[in-house]
Amino acid sequence: MTELGTELGTELGIGIGWRPEIAEAVEALPGVDWVEVVAENVCVGHLPDSLTRLRARGVTVVPHGVSLGLGGADRPDAGRLAELAAKATALGAPLVTEHIAFVRAGGPLTATPALEAGHLLPVPRTRDALDVLCENVRIAQDALPVPLALENIAALIAWPGEELTEGQFLAELVERTGVRLLIDVANLHTNHVNRGEDPAKALSELPVESIAYVHVAGGLARDGVWHDTHAHPVPAPVLDILADLASRISPPGVLLERDDNFPPPEELASELRSIRHTLAEASGTVPGAGGGKAARAGAGREGVADDARATARDTAAGSPTAATGGSGHRPAAAPSDAGARAALRPDAPAAGAGSPTPATGGAGHRPAAAPSDAGARAALRPDAPAAAGRPDAARPLLIGAGARVSGGPMPRPPAAPAAPAPEPPAAAVVVPAVAPAPEPPTADVVVPAVAPAPEPPTDPATAHAHGTARRTVAPEAARPTEAPGAEGPTPTEPEGVDRARARVALAQVALLSALVAGTPAPEGFDTRRLGVQSRALVAKRAGVVAKVAPELPEILGDGYRPAFLAYAKSRPMSGGYRRDALDFAEHLLVAGRPEDPGARRRLTHWWQDRAGARPPGRATRIARAARAALVRR
């Protein structure tokens, strides 16, 4: 059992993402040790019967959040944190997980309308963003009853002027907060194809001993980029990265994710077998394990081999980088201890008297006497203070600072002071002006097969969708030192983090505004990639709204998708996907659509039922159904 598995009390083993559409299949699959559920899709007190049965059988359930936005400029929402904590307790979970991402931007920090992505967007790998993320993580850790693990995300776009690699960013995050990591190897593959980042290099820089568990998922190549769809078979390059990771450390758990286009149960079982075979081969417990990529690609792939090969062909055809760099290329003897990784970082100081000689042959060559504890890793960073000024310099890495000692959290090592970042030049941030309008009272839209729940995945709040005019924030309002919240330190944060929040807020709202509101692209971004991301966000909105409000596609028929895409291009989301569904229906009715009187009447009743102060009573529903039946005769 690994060190982390010992701390959690058990190894998680092999698991699968629980979704309502495959609930019965998940219960029947052999060898499923644990499941992960999207936290926003369950409600305390109304747990789905399937999850209750799994828990009764001793299957571990881990809630996986998608809406906190810990990488955003704002502090985590206390209400969302309380809900996540309550769900962890209700599920008896040993830990909870979230993402290193931002999902909303704007608001008081920038004096601009609040915007929402409806999606996980990448955080810039800068010192400012890292300072903000670390403070947000500490706030979340203090509010949660169990340890927190954070997931690396997939990205279509890259921020200009990044200061750290992904591995360095994650390693310092762990060092400063003690948070655990959820490593998604499919996301490492996505970033390899889309951003040219080497998965082996990222793994060599990670503190792998802090990994809580691993995600594996599929995707496809389209528009010249790799889309992490979670709706396709796991391709061979993703299994290669899993094998690389498993050769460095035995992960406490590995989980297969599938969110759409669900295959028959036998195909899910085949993918789980393939994951088990990959892990066994990497650990050398399978006969003929030295077969490498060819053996992994051919073994345990019953039922999905053809799809995997087709996906690999799509990747090669759709992306010029897919076939180069080899995400499955594993270094000969990658270092497994944190100290060796620190010495191999690009920013590590040159060797001197008494220090190990840096390797020149890449991640596969380990220095002779590399330090293995977090304090030594910190001392190797160029920006680290002298050892005499660091009381934590010799303190070992705290794996999972949320672990309890006598009822309280373990102490976390203090963050190393960061040099103040230079103030960016004042720039106008163009955002859509949103006219304030009274919002009708809302009621939950029932999601099929899911008990009444709060907002579905990625539901950040945004400005009201009816305003279409734009306004430009004056340069004076855009200056980080003059933005609200930047005049001075808050009672709970140092001045440096407070100012970093203002700078990160301006950068994130400018990007999100370009993606969801059609404002000009911020300087330095790839405008073609921004266009791909923007179209993907609109398509995702249409798909999720169709799930949370299935009556809309039923009422509108084939006209639903084109009507929604036209609506979404000029109207950012407002208050989450259920609010988006109501706003879309209102938009159609105001425009006198749909043209068919019967469909318009049904849409009107649907909107009234959900926008009213409370749903109509049983008598009202029966009367409406009777009238509708008479009209159809």
Side-chain angles (χ1 to χ4, degrees):
M1 184 177 292
T2 64
E3 181 180 355
L4 181 55
T6 302
E7 186 180 342
L8 289 175
T10 182
E11 289 272 330
L12 291 171
I14 303 298
I16 188 169
W18 185 93
R19 303 294 183 264
E21 296 88 342
I22 55 172
E24 291 185 6
V26 168
E27 289 187 66
L29 282 172
V32 171
D33 303 309
W34 65 291
V35 298
E36 179 191 78
V37 61
V38 176
E40 287 78 358
N41 279 358
V42 295
C43 184
V44 175
H46 297 86
L47 294 179
D49 291 340
S50 173
L51 287 180
T52 302
R53 288 191 294 268
L54 287 169
R55 288 194 63 217
R57 283 165 40 187
V59 176
T60 299
V61 181
V62 173
H64 184 53
V66 294
S67 64
L68 276 182
L70 292 175
D74 291 316
R75 296 175 185 83
D77 180 80
R80 294 180 191 275
L81 281 173
E83 288 179 1
L84 185 57
K87 290 168 186 177
T89 300
L91 293 168
L95 77 165
V96 296
T97 58
E98 248 287 353
H99 298 81
I100 300 172
F102 79 98
V103 294
R104 58 187 67 86
L109 274 176
T110 56
T112 61
L115 297 174
E116 141 176 14
H119 188 67
L120 302 165
L121 293 176
V123 173
R125 297 171 193 156
T126 61
R127 291 290 173 189
D128 272 355
L130 182 60
D131 288 345
V132 171
L133 175 62
C134 287
E135 195 68 33
N136 287 349
V137 167
R138 294 187 188 103
I139 293 170
Q141 288 173 320
D142 289 342
L144 295 171
V146 293
L148 171 68
L150 295 182
E151 178 181 352
N152 59 304
I153 71 163
L156 292 177
I157 55 179
W159 285 82
E162 292 191 316
E163 300 166 340
L164 301 166
T165 65
E166 179 162 39
Q168 292 168 342
F169 191 87
L170 295 179
E172 189 160 341
L173 171 66
V174 169
E175 189 170 305
R176 291 171 58 175
T177 66
V179 74
R180 295 184 172 113
L181 295 177
L182 192 180
I183 295 301
D184 191 315
V185 293
N187 291 349
L188 291 178
H189 172 66
T190 300
N191 294 342
H192 168 63
V193 176
N194 293 347
R195 298 168 53 157
E197 298 175 355
D198 182 10
K201 181 176 186 293
L203 291 177
S204 70
E205 294 173 335
L206 286 178
V208 292
E209 67 275 11
S210 293
I211 293 176
Y213 61 87
V214 176
H215 273 174
V216 180
L220 84 165
R222 187 178 61 240
D223 295 330
V225 297
W226 184 264
H227 294 264
D228 181 48
T229 63
H230 294 190
H232 297 82
V234 178
V238 171
L239 290 178
D240 290 336
I241 302 174
L242 175 63
D244 186 355
L245 173 58
S247 72
R248 302 167 189 264
I249 191 172
S250 176
V254 179
L255 181 124
L256 172 66
E257 284 191 296
R258 190 76 177 228
D259 292 323
D260 206 353
N261 192 26
F262 298 102
E266 55 269 20
E267 290 191 21
L268 293 174
S270 178
E271 293 214 282
L272 290 173
R273 287 195 300 272
S274 182
I275 289 171
R276 290 190 187 93
H277 185 91
T278 299
L279 294 171
E281 185 186 23
S283 65
T285 60
V286 174
K293 286 172 116 177
R296 284 195 296 277
R301 301 291 288 169
E302 301 89 354
V304 295
D306 292 339
D307 287 336
R309 283 193 290 273
T311 305
R313 284 196 300 272
D314 289 343
T315 307
S319 172
T321 62
T324 61
S327 60
H329 295 281
R330 188 159 66 245
S336 60
D337 62 282
R341 281 194 308 276
L344 292 175
R345 291 179 185 167
D347 59 347
S355 65
T357 303
T360 57
H365 301 274
R366 184 179 303 163
S372 61
D373 64 285
R377 278 203 308 273
L380 287 175
R381 291 203 313 273
D383 59 345
R390 283 182 58 92
D392 62 319
R395 183 180 299 166
L397 176 65
L398 299 176
I399 300 178
R404 298 305 187 207
V405 178
S406 301
M410 294 176 69
R412 303 184 189 94
E423 298 284 352
V429 179
V430 182
V431 297
V434 178
E439 296 214 14
T442 61
D444 281 343
V445 178
V446 177
V447 183
V450 180
E455 290 297 326
T458 49
D459 85 293
T462 182
H464 195 279
H466 300 298
T468 57
R470 300 175 186 168
R471 67 185 176 93
T472 301
V473 178
E476 290 77 13
R479 290 180 62 85
T481 56
E482 297 176 8
E487 285 89 9
T490 65
T492 58
E493 291 186 319
E495 183 176 0
V497 176
D498 197 58
R499 291 182 179 274
R501 286 189 185 278
R503 291 189 290 267
V504 171
L506 287 170
Q508 290 181 346
V509 74
L511 173 61
L512 187 52
S513 179
L515 290 174
V516 303
T519 57
E523 184 178 355
F525 281 93
D526 183 330
T527 54
R528 186 187 71 82
R529 285 290 179 87
L530 289 184
V532 173
Q533 180 71 84
S534 180
R535 291 190 295 274
L537 292 179
V538 171
K540 180 177 180 179
R541 279 177 68 185
V544 177
V545 165
K547 285 185 176 182
V548 303
E551 301 87 352
L552 293 180
E554 178 186 336
I555 294 171
L556 300 175
D558 293 339
Y560 163 75
R561 191 169 183 83
F564 188 89
L565 295 180
Y567 153 81
K569 284 180 180 177
S570 59
R571 291 169 177 82
M573 272 175 59
S574 169
Y577 285 112
R578 289 187 175 88
R579 177 76 258 168
D580 208 20
L582 287 169
D583 287 343
F584 170 57
E586 181 182 4
H587 164 75
L588 292 179
L589 293 172
V590 169
R593 298 168 58 198
E595 295 179 0
D596 177 68
R600 189 163 59 251
R601 187 182 308 107
R602 291 177 63 197
L603 184 61
T604 300
H605 290 160
W606 179 89
W607 183 87
Q608 289 173 339
D609 288 350
R610 287 153 183 81
R614 57 184 178 181
R618 183 169 179 270
T620 301
R621 293 197 301 272
I622 293 174
R624 286 181 180 173
R627 285 198 300 269
L630 290 172
V631 169
R632 287 195 292 270
R633 287 183 177 178

